[in-house]
């Protein structure tokens, strides 16, 4: 298939799919498909609630159309699948969105078509899990009648500097010719170029280890923070001192959530265990990072006890709910661990986050956060859990004003100076 003959569809218009569809929509006709009618309606009205694209960028994608009707995909011959790949309550991969998307594409697949996956998966998933679904629903044969590619997403929600066009893209294809075509397609929009991987499995593995490496680096720093806190040493001061060496990696302790770092390692460990290998280091890092919410609450309770503040029935304000600063993304936020743990102590918990969608927070976590500043002088403890710029602007004095005299102020993210808080990681 010549590059000029590609008729493109993007399956899934979330944090990954929409920016991709918008960039391609500047260059060529694109059908953007999503199963969420509300999402389609807001995009048709020129608004993106994820804030990953501006109203001006949406308007500039003049060749991009939106649909919830799978029949509108029949005119396309190249499909890019960008649906979520979460984990379930047992920390196992949940491939249901990926399988459902493959069913949708399979039903409209024709001879010569190409299906490219961007969703993060374990090595082998595209060819072992997705291709059989495409074959079943299309009646076509892989690498004879249709072809596949894999080009892992590399977005960073809330980052206005590193965006889809300015992050180097890994590409791959199920045959050498398809690999060349997939690479050429992405080079239409990726200004910094691409890296063509040896195979689909190599591209899948490359993606899943990117975040596994970062997860382990943060786990190391989290463990160091636990050790230094026991020794009465300020962790940030240690990291600043060590950071004076040119090759010291600038990681910081904290909660590890989000759609990638807190999820992707479980995809790799799942596959490793399926082939008979038990991954020691990766799972140890995951266990440590998953325990940090409980550790934060234990530290806060200890400080409250020392101050003779009754823990049971205490009013506690958690500042921030999103998984990272200055973005509305709530996926796999580990702030929820802090909230759950506080409730186990029978604390009365309020959550304040000016970035979140109240409806999404209610749907995902059963929490109704405040999006405007709470009343002053009513809290026994305040935990700054996310480093939103609004919180930094409030400063220690502004945040302490929300609490009672003598209230505990704990800083998870080093938003405030060390001498302005009662405790921090």
């Amino acid at each position: 298939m010549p590059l000029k003959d590609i008729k493109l569809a993007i399956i899934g218009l979330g944090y990954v799919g929409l920016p991709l569809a918008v960039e391609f929509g500047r260059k060529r006709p694109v059908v953007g498909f999503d199963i969420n009618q509300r999402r389609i309606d807001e995009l048709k009205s020129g608004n993106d609630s994820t804030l990953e694209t501006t109203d001006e960028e949406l308007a500039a994608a003049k060749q991009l159309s939106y649909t919830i009707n799978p029949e509108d995909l029949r005119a396309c011959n190249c499909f890019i699948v960008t649906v979520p790949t979460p984990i379930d309550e047992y920390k196992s991969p949940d491939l249901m969105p990926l399988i459902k998307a493959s069913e949708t594409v399979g039903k409209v697949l024709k001879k010569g078509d190409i299906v490219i996956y961007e969703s993060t998966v374990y090595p082998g998933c595209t060819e072992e899990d997705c291709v059989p679904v495409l074959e079943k629903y299309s009646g076509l044969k892989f690498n004879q009648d249709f072809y596949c590619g894999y080009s892992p997403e590399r977005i960073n929600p809330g980052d206005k500097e590193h965006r889809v066009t300015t992050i180097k893209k890994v590409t791959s294809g199920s045959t050498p010719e398809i690999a060349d075509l997939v690479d050429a397609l992405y080079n239409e929009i990726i200004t910094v170029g691409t890296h063509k991987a040896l195979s689909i499995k190599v591209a899948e593995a490359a993606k899943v280890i990117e975040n596994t490496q970062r997860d382990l680096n943060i786990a190391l720093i989290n463990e160091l923070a636990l050790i230094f806190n026991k020794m009465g040493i300020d962790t940030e001061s240690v990291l600043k001192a060590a950071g004076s060496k040119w090759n010291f990696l600038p990681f910081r302790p904290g909660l590890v959530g989000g759609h990638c770092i807190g999820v992707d390692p479980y995809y790799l460990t799942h596959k490793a265990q399926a082939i008979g290998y038990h991954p020691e280091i990766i799972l140890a890092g995951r266990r440590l990072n998953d325990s940090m919410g409980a550790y934060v609450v234990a530290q806060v309770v200890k400080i409250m006890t020392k101050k003779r503040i009754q823990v049971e029935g205490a009013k506690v304000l958690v500042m921030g709910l999103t998984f990272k600063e200055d973005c509305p993304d709530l996926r796999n936020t580990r702030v929820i661990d802090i909230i759950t743990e506080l409730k186990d102590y029978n604390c009365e918990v309020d959550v304040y986050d000016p970035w979140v969608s109240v409806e999404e927070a209610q749907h995902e976590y059963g929490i109704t956060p405040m999006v405007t500043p709470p009343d002053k002088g009513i809290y026994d403890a305040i935990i700054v859990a996310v480093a939103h710029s609004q919180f930094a602007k409030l400063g220690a004095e502004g945040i302490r004003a929300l609490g009672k005299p003598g209230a505990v102020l704990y800083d998870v993210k080093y938003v405030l100076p060390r001498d302005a808080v009662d405790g921090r990681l």
Side-chain angles (χ1 to χ4, degrees):
M1 181 191 308
L3 184 62
K4 64 180 178 62
D5 291 342
I6 286 180
K7 298 173 183 175
L8 192 60
I10 309 292
I11 313 299
L13 298 175
Y15 284 85
V16 174
L18 181 65
L20 194 69
V22 165
E23 291 302 327
F24 274 121
R26 297 170 182 259
K27 306 279 186 179
R28 57 167 65 240
V30 178
V31 176
F33 173 84
D34 201 283
I35 60 172
N36 186 336
Q37 182 67 62
R38 194 169 75 171
R39 179 65 167 161
I40 293 297
D41 290 342
E42 75 169 16
L43 293 175
K44 284 183 175 179
S45 71
N47 177 253
D48 172 24
S49 60
T50 70
L51 306 181
E52 288 302 300
T53 57
T54 65
D55 294 354
E56 292 74 22
E57 287 167 338
L58 285 175
K62 297 187 181 301
Q63 299 186 75
L64 172 59
S65 61
Y66 307 102
T67 185
I68 196 172
N69 185 359
E71 289 301 309
D72 293 336
L73 299 173
R74 289 194 180 277
C76 302
N77 55 20
C78 183
F79 308 87
I80 301 180
V81 178
T82 62
V83 297
T85 43
I87 52 176
D88 62 21
E89 60 183 310
Y90 305 108
K91 311 292 188 185
S92 295
D94 177 6
L95 295 180
M96 188 54 65
L98 197 63
I99 298 303
K100 289 293 184 184
S102 298
E103 290 178 8
T104 297
V105 172
K107 291 174 182 177
V108 298
L109 207 59
K110 307 174 297 300
K111 282 194 175 185
D113 286 0
I114 302 169
V115 186
I116 305 167
Y117 289 91
E118 287 212 4
S119 307
T120 301
V121 292
Y122 46 76
C125 182
T126 298
E127 291 154 300
E128 296 166 12
D129 296 278
C130 299
V131 163
V133 175
L134 295 172
E135 288 184 323
K136 175 183 176 181
Y137 284 87
S138 68
L140 302 175
K141 190 72 175 172
F142 177 51
N143 275 347
Q144 291 181 18
D145 302 320
F146 73 93
Y147 307 89
C148 282
Y150 184 77
S151 181
E153 58 90 358
R154 275 179 165 171
I155 66 147
N156 188 23
D159 189 338
K160 300 309 177 187
E161 180 182 354
H162 302 98
R163 309 191 70 190
V164 64
T165 60
T166 59
I167 302 174
K168 196 161 193 173
K169 200 89 162 69
V170 174
T171 66
S172 64
S174 56
T175 70
E177 295 76 21
I178 294 302
D180 289 341
L181 184 57
V182 170
D183 194 65
L185 176 64
Y186 279 105
N187 267 299
E188 282 189 345
I189 63 167
I190 307 298
T191 59
V192 294
T194 58
H195 175 92
K196 187 165 58 175
L198 185 64
S199 67
I200 286 176
K201 285 183 180 178
V202 167
E204 291 169 327
K207 169 58 183 177
V208 82
I209 71 165
E210 288 174 14
N211 290 315
T212 300
Q213 182 187 65
R214 185 166 174 80
D215 191 41
L216 285 171
N217 276 317
I218 299 171
L220 171 62
I221 302 300
N222 274 337
E223 188 160 59
L224 292 174
L226 304 187
I227 295 169
F228 295 146
N229 283 348
K230 276 188 169 293
M231 299 171 69
I233 300 172
D234 181 63
T235 303
E236 187 188 30
S237 298
V238 175
L239 295 175
K240 283 182 176 178
S244 63
K245 190 180 181 203
W246 80 92
N247 61 351
F248 185 82
L249 300 177
F251 288 93
R252 290 291 182 270
L255 307 173
V256 184
H259 67 297
C260 283
I261 300 177
V263 172
D264 295 358
Y266 287 121
Y267 274 75
L268 183 56
T269 57
H270 169 84
K271 185 64 175 182
Q273 290 168 328
I275 60 172
Y277 179 80
H278 183 74
E280 301 282 354
I281 295 174
I282 298 171
L283 286 175
R286 277 282 74 234
R287 284 193 297 271
L288 196 145
N289 284 341
D290 279 346
S291 72
M292 291 307 291
Y295 175 79
V296 165
V297 174
Q299 292 297 101
V300 171
V301 167
K302 185 183 293 185
I303 299 168
M304 291 175 72
T305 303
K306 285 181 178 178
K307 286 193 167 195
R308 290 180 168 77
I309 298 172
Q310 183 173 323
V311 175
E312 186 172 4
K315 284 185 67 70
V316 181
L317 176 65
V318 175
M319 297 183 68
L321 182 59
T322 62
F323 90 88
K324 65 179 291 189
E325 65 275 5
D326 295 346
C327 92
D329 196 346
L330 289 174
R331 290 175 296 174
N332 193 39
T333 176
R334 295 330 319 153
V335 178
I336 196 68
D337 298 340
I338 292 177
I339 297 166
T340 302
E341 193 75 9
L342 286 168
K343 289 181 177 178
D344 284 347
Y345 280 96
N346 290 324
C347 294
E348 186 181 330
V349 184
D350 286 343
V351 180
Y352 165 46
D353 194 318
W355 281 86
V356 301
S357 159
V358 174
E359 293 78 13
E360 186 179 356
Q362 289 171 334
H363 179 264
E364 293 296 326
Y365 302 108
I367 292 170
T368 304
M370 296 176 282
V371 293
T372 56
D375 294 335
K376 294 181 179 180
I378 63 172
Y379 295 102
D380 298 292
I382 301 169
I383 301 173
V384 182
V386 184
H388 289 319
S389 54
Q390 290 96 328
F391 301 161
K393 189 176 180 181
L394 267 177
E397 187 177 340
I399 293 174
R400 280 201 177 276
L402 302 173
K404 299 173 183 175
V408 171
L409 176 54
Y410 192 94
D411 186 1
V412 176
K413 295 292 291 182
Y414 299 165
V415 175
L416 305 171
R418 176 169 58 90
D419 58 2
V421 300
D422 299 295
R424 61 179 183 168
L425 281 179

